[in-house]
Amino acid sequence: MIGLYGGSFDPVHIGHLRIAEDIREAFSLERVIFIPAYQSPLKSKSRASAEDRFNMLKLSLKENPFFGIDDIEIKRKGKSYTIDTVLFYKKKLGYPPVFILGTDAFLSFHLWKSPEELIKNANFIVAGRDEISFYDVEEYVKDHFPEAVIRKDKKIEKGKSGNIYYFSMRRLDISSTEIRNRVKDGKSIKYLVLPEVERYIFYKKLYRG
C-alpha cells in the first residue's frame, strides 16, 4: 500500500518527515510519496519556487528508502487539485490510493475541488494535532460527508475507498511559516529542518524578503 503526502512544503521540515514516518510504520505502508504542489488552490502563492521546494524535498528524503517524491503537480503547473492526482494514482496503482493530510487541511475539505469524488476514489489518513480532536473531525465528517466512514483503527482495506482514518500524531510544534519568519528575522532554523535544507535555504537566500 502506497501513501500519498501532498502539500506546499515551503519549506519541508522535520515535522513533515516525522509524521510521514510515524504513519508509514503505523499503517504498514510500503512507501510514502511526497507530492509538492505547484500552487495550492486555498493558499497564497508559495514563497519559494516549485523548483526550490522540490530540491529541498529531495535532499530531505534521500536517506529514507521508504520515502519517494513525485513532481506530477509541478509538471502540471497551474493550481494543484488533489482530485487530479488521486485519479492518476488510482489508475496507476489499480486501487484507491491513501492520501495523508493534517486536520487543518481536512477541515476545509468541503472547499476542495470535487470533494465527494475524492471520497469515492481514495482513503484518507488525517493526522490530528493541536486542540483539534478526533471528535471535531468526526462531527465534520457527519456534517459534510455522511457517506464516508471515520475510523481509528489502522487496517486499510485495499480496493475499498471512502474511509477516513484518524491518526493521533506526536506533538511537534513546527511550521513552515515559523521557519520562513525565523529566516527573515535572521534567527536560527537549526534542528527545525535537516542540515542539508538549512544549507540550501541560506545558499539560495530563500525567505529573506
Side-chain angles (χ1 to χ4, degrees), residues 9-17 56 59-60 174-176 178-180 182-183 188-202 207:
F9 303 111
D10 189 25
V12 59
H13 53 70
I14 62 168
H16 292 129
L17 304 175
M56 287 187 282
L59 289 170
S60 298
I174 304 171
S175 72
S176 296
E178 178 195 5
I179 292 168
R180 295 195 301 268
R182 291 185 70 86
V183 174
S188 170
I189 58 170
K190 194 175 296 293
Y191 312 123
L192 299 175
V193 298
L194 293 188
E196 297 91 332
V197 172
E198 182 185 15
R199 288 193 292 268
Y200 187 94
I201 288 172
F202 284 96
Y207 310 124

Side-chain angles (χ1 to χ4, degrees), residues 121-139:
N121 287 281
N123 296 296
F124 294 86
I125 297 174
V126 179
R129 62 184 184 187
D130 302 330
E131 74 281 358
I132 301 171
S133 69
F134 168 79
Y135 302 101
D136 296 307
V137 174
E138 184 177 43
E139 288 303 308

